[in-house]
Amino acid sequence: MWRGAKRRQALFWPRATRAPGNGVVAPGGACLRSECAQRGRPVDPWRGQRRIAQGEAVPCVKPVLARALRKTPLLHLDAPRRGRVRRPGLKLEENGLTGSVKDRSAVGLLQALHDERPLTPGTVVVESTSGNLGPALARLLPSIDCVFLAVVDLKTPHATRTVLTERGARAIVVGEADGQGGYLLSRLRRVRELCDRTPGYRWPNQYENRASPDIHRRTTGPEITEQAGPEPGAVYVPVSTGGALAGISAHLRRHRPDVAAVAVDVHGSPAVTGSAGRRLLQGIGAGRPSAFLKGPHGYGRSVHVDGIEAIAVCPIPAEDMGLVPGGSSGCAVCALLSDLENGRVDDRLAVCLAADDGGEYRDTLYCDDWATEQGVVKEITAAVEQLRREGLFFDRKHLEH
């Protein structure tokens, strides 16, 4: 499996096509490079529309944000392993506007900013991001004629940084590690410096703003319970800021208290519990505890997964179904498989929040060179081979829309 980039590109993007100008169209997705970007011209989000003057009220902000919320499907699977067939479900957030669950977070955060003080044309929004919130904000803010300043770090995937710049965002790269296995604290310090220096900047603060869990309480949670019907016994949610888990858990406590909200984190992350350390995967975990999960009802229980094992899970649905999961999605599935083996879940439907697809991970967990640089090729190969020996296979059954 880890035997050359050309084979891996064919393996992990089985239905990908090539767009003009070498833009890649992932399975079921849109071209990652706009026509304007392909031709070397800046993208103009107001092309064909009247430009709003600086300081003028923007009556379209709320409708634009409302249209950005899209319902995503629940994919039912058969997953045989060790002679027993399990039937998990994947909540496919890759079907959102920019391909991740952070579309919802971005909408909730911008709605809260606009309610607090209108987002007028020319407003600069600054946010710390190492994953999918950045592309989501970079997609939404130009459509309301605002400017996005993204504070990223050296571990932010190249694909993510490319998307940010192609969508007109300005990226500020933080190079100083925070001593907690990542760059989060350093990025946050940089955001505060920028906001102190320029008081007009607006900071959504995805790490502490209650608008983030609230949007998931109002949208993601109800969609899961509606699509799963009476069947679910647990929902596995990967944790970064903790907003999605806190919101989904709040919905379940009120409407389906019989369904467990399971926090999925990785070793080396203190987002839920534990201590900080080296982490292989971006998009899951954090360098500090989540501000949304401090209360006694933030979630039902937690599972910490090994990064190697989570990465090993990812190519299997890609090979079996052409479904290319992102790193945090692989972690959620890995956590479920672990619980199944340990008898921690019953035979009811277990739903995994597949927070994104593999598009942002082409240069990391789906790249031979990256695995070689990290010194984990042999470990990942052995883990994949072990899962296959145990008979693990993923088979599509049906979609609930």
Side-chain angles (χ1 to χ4, degrees):
M1 133 182 181
W2 296 82
R3 297 176 182 170
K6 290 185 178 179
R7 165 162 169 73
R8 289 172 53 71
Q9 181 179 14
L11 177 63
F12 294 117
W13 300 95
R15 291 193 295 274
T17 57
R18 186 66 57 179
N22 287 328
V24 175
V25 181
C31 183
L32 298 180
R33 298 183 184 179
S34 70
E35 180 182 354
C36 291
Q38 292 165 15
R39 297 181 182 178
R41 301 198 305 270
V43 177
D44 182 1
W46 291 93
R47 183 171 56 186
Q49 303 180 41
R50 179 182 71 84
R51 273 193 179 276
I52 300 176
Q54 175 73 27
E56 182 180 345
V58 188
C60 65
V61 170
K62 289 192 174 182
V64 167
L65 296 180
R67 287 195 297 271
L69 285 174
R70 296 183 179 177
K71 188 175 182 179
T72 60
L74 178 67
L75 174 63
H76 290 255
L77 305 172
D78 276 355
R81 184 186 184 193
R82 294 180 177 175
R84 186 172 182 182
V85 178
R86 305 288 187 167
R87 293 181 171 83
L90 295 181
K91 179 66 170 165
L92 298 178
E93 291 298 297
E94 66 186 65
N95 287 268
L97 187 65
T98 63
S100 84
V101 72
K102 291 295 187 178
D103 290 333
R104 302 178 191 262
S105 302
V107 169
L109 292 167
L110 292 181
Q111 283 178 339
L113 277 189
H114 186 65
D115 290 342
E116 177 186 316
R117 188 169 76 251
L119 291 168
T120 56
T123 297
V124 177
V125 175
V126 57
E127 181 60 284
S128 159
T129 177
S130 64
N132 290 310
L133 184 70
L137 290 173
R139 168 65 176 78
L140 285 172
L141 285 167
S143 66
I144 54 176
D145 215 19
C146 292
V147 178
F148 181 37
L149 192 57
V151 178
V152 299
D153 60 61
L154 296 177
K155 291 180 70 176
T156 303
H158 177 73
T160 301
R161 290 161 67 172
T162 299
V163 170
L164 289 173
T165 55
E166 286 183 348
R167 291 177 178 166
R170 178 188 167 198
I172 295 179
V173 182
V174 172
E176 179 186 357
D178 60 11
Q180 300 295 313
Y183 294 83
L184 172 60
L185 303 184
S186 299
R187 292 199 316 268
L188 291 175
R189 184 166 57 249
R190 183 67 172 134
V191 169
R192 293 187 181 97
E193 291 171 355
L194 290 167
C195 292
D196 289 343
R197 185 184 308 164
T198 312
Y201 283 2
R202 308 289 301 277
W203 180 22
N205 193 358
Q206 63 164 319
Y207 307 95
E208 297 179 357
N209 192 332
R210 296 300 306 181
S212 176
D214 188 62
I215 194 72
H216 294 287
R217 178 187 62 80
R218 293 187 288 112
T219 65
T220 322
E223 284 181 28
I224 291 173
T225 52
E226 175 193 349
Q227 292 166 337
E231 298 180 342
V235 179
Y236 288 75
V237 185
V239 174
S240 55
T241 66
L245 174 62
I248 292 170
S249 178
H251 169 77
L252 293 177
R253 286 198 309 273
R254 180 168 183 178
H255 299 280
R256 290 296 305 272
D258 59 313
V259 179
V262 183
V264 179
D265 205 354
V266 290
H267 294 311
S269 164
V272 180
T273 58
S275 58
R278 179 176 180 259
R279 300 191 304 275
L280 282 173
L281 287 169
Q282 292 293 104
I284 185 170
R288 69 176 192 181
S290 167
F292 303 126
L293 305 176
K294 292 181 178 179
H297 303 297
Y299 55 94
R301 57 185 176 84
S302 65
V303 179
H304 274 71
V305 300
D306 178 78
I308 297 292
E309 294 176 0
I311 293 172
V313 167
C314 292
I316 296 179
E319 291 177 329
D320 296 345
M321 306 182 296
L323 180 69
V324 186
S328 61
S329 305
C331 288
V333 175
C334 183
L336 170 59
L337 294 176
S338 174
D339 276 0
L340 288 171
E341 290 303 304
N342 296 328
R344 299 187 69 186
V345 291
D346 54 29
D347 288 331
R348 291 182 295 170
L349 175 69
V351 175
C352 295
L353 184 73
D356 59 4
D357 65 13
E360 302 301 318
Y361 303 86
R362 289 169 293 171
D363 300 319
T364 53
L365 68 91
Y366 287 117
C367 177
D368 288 313
D369 291 341
W370 175 83
T372 300
E373 291 170 2
Q374 301 297 319
V376 294
V377 173
K378 291 182 180 180
E379 290 87 344
I380 294 173
T381 301
V384 173
E385 291 174 350
Q386 178 62 34
L387 290 172
R388 285 305 201 187
R389 281 195 298 270
E390 294 171 356
L392 182 63
F393 182 86
F394 292 99
D395 185 29
R396 291 176 181 263
K397 301 308 290 182
H398 65 280
L399 277 173
E400 290 287 348
H401 291 280

